Amino acid sequence: MEQHFIKYTYAFFKTLVELHSFRKKRESNEGQSYVVEYSSSNFVIKIEKYFREFYVSVYKINKPDHEINLFNLLEYLTQGAEKTPKSDYFRNEKDVEECYKKQIDHISTVIHENYILINDFFSGDSYELRIEEFEKYWRNKHPEFYKKV
């Protein structure tokens, strides 16, 4: 099967390249998995595809150990907001190509609508403090992930 999802991903990043000077950092396409990373001057967007689903994470340049799922970060950054962006895998979509298009379009829209928030999180001297606050928020929200066995 031809991998049309790659052209959808390129189309999405073309806009980021043009608007925010992103550059392709890495790309890997092996079997059922695909990964592409694009970087700005402050952070990296990483999109991974496994089977029919795309997962998006972000991290500060040269700090891949602090990779954060995009939607988890936006949940944190938009606390108290009327609307918080959520991931959507369009699992009910029967046509695989349409599923890919819808996912990439959704991801693209969320990033473009929240670009300033995301960029501000990774910019400036207080990044380490912001990442600590995010981790504290996430541990409090999901203590089940941190239970000792």
Side-chain angles (χ1 to χ4, degrees), residues 17 23 29 54 61 67 69 83 96 105 109 113-114 135 143 147:
V17 167
R23 287 185 256 191
N29 188 6
F54 289 95
I61 297 287
E67 185 176 307
N69 175 283
K83 185 179 176 191
V96 165
D105 185 55
T109 300
E113 288 176 353
N114 295 281
E135 289 172 351
K147 288 183 180 177

Side-chain angles (χ1 to χ4, degrees), residues 99-130:
C99 178
Y100 293 154
K101 283 183 200 175
K102 286 181 177 181
Q103 285 183 74
I104 293 296
D105 185 55
H106 176 67
I107 291 165
S108 175
T109 300
V110 167
I111 290 173
H112 289 295
E113 288 176 353
N114 295 281
Y115 181 82
I116 293 171
L117 272 177
I118 299 164
N119 191 55
D120 287 352
F121 181 83
F122 291 104
S123 300
D125 297 332
S126 300
Y127 167 74
E128 298 296 332
L129 178 61
R130 287 190 294 273

Side-chain angles (χ1 to χ4, degrees), residues 9-22 108 112:
T9 307
Y10 286 166
F12 157 62
F13 276 113
K14 182 179 183 222
T15 305
L16 282 176
V17 167
E18 292 170 354
L19 288 175
H20 303 291
S21 302
F22 274 76
S108 175
H112 289 295

Side-chain angles (χ1 to χ4, degrees), residues 19-70:
L19 288 175
H20 303 291
S21 302
F22 274 76
R23 287 185 256 191
K24 187 188 293 183
K25 183 176 176 175
R26 166 175 94 96
E27 184 174 33
S28 173
N29 188 6
E30 298 176 15
Q32 292 291 327
S33 68
Y34 170 76
V35 176
V36 65
E37 292 182 340
Y38 276 77
S39 62
S40 71
S41 58
N42 293 318
F43 67 98
V44 175
I45 297 174
K46 177 179 174 182
I47 296 184
E48 298 179 82
K49 179 197 150 300
Y50 294 106
F51 299 99
R52 285 181 55 128
E53 297 177 355
F54 289 95
Y55 300 94
V56 185
S57 55
V58 289
Y59 62 89
K60 184 161 180 72
I61 297 287
N62 299 322
K63 302 245 185 214
D65 291 344
H66 292 286
E67 185 176 307
I68 303 171
N69 175 283
L70 173 68

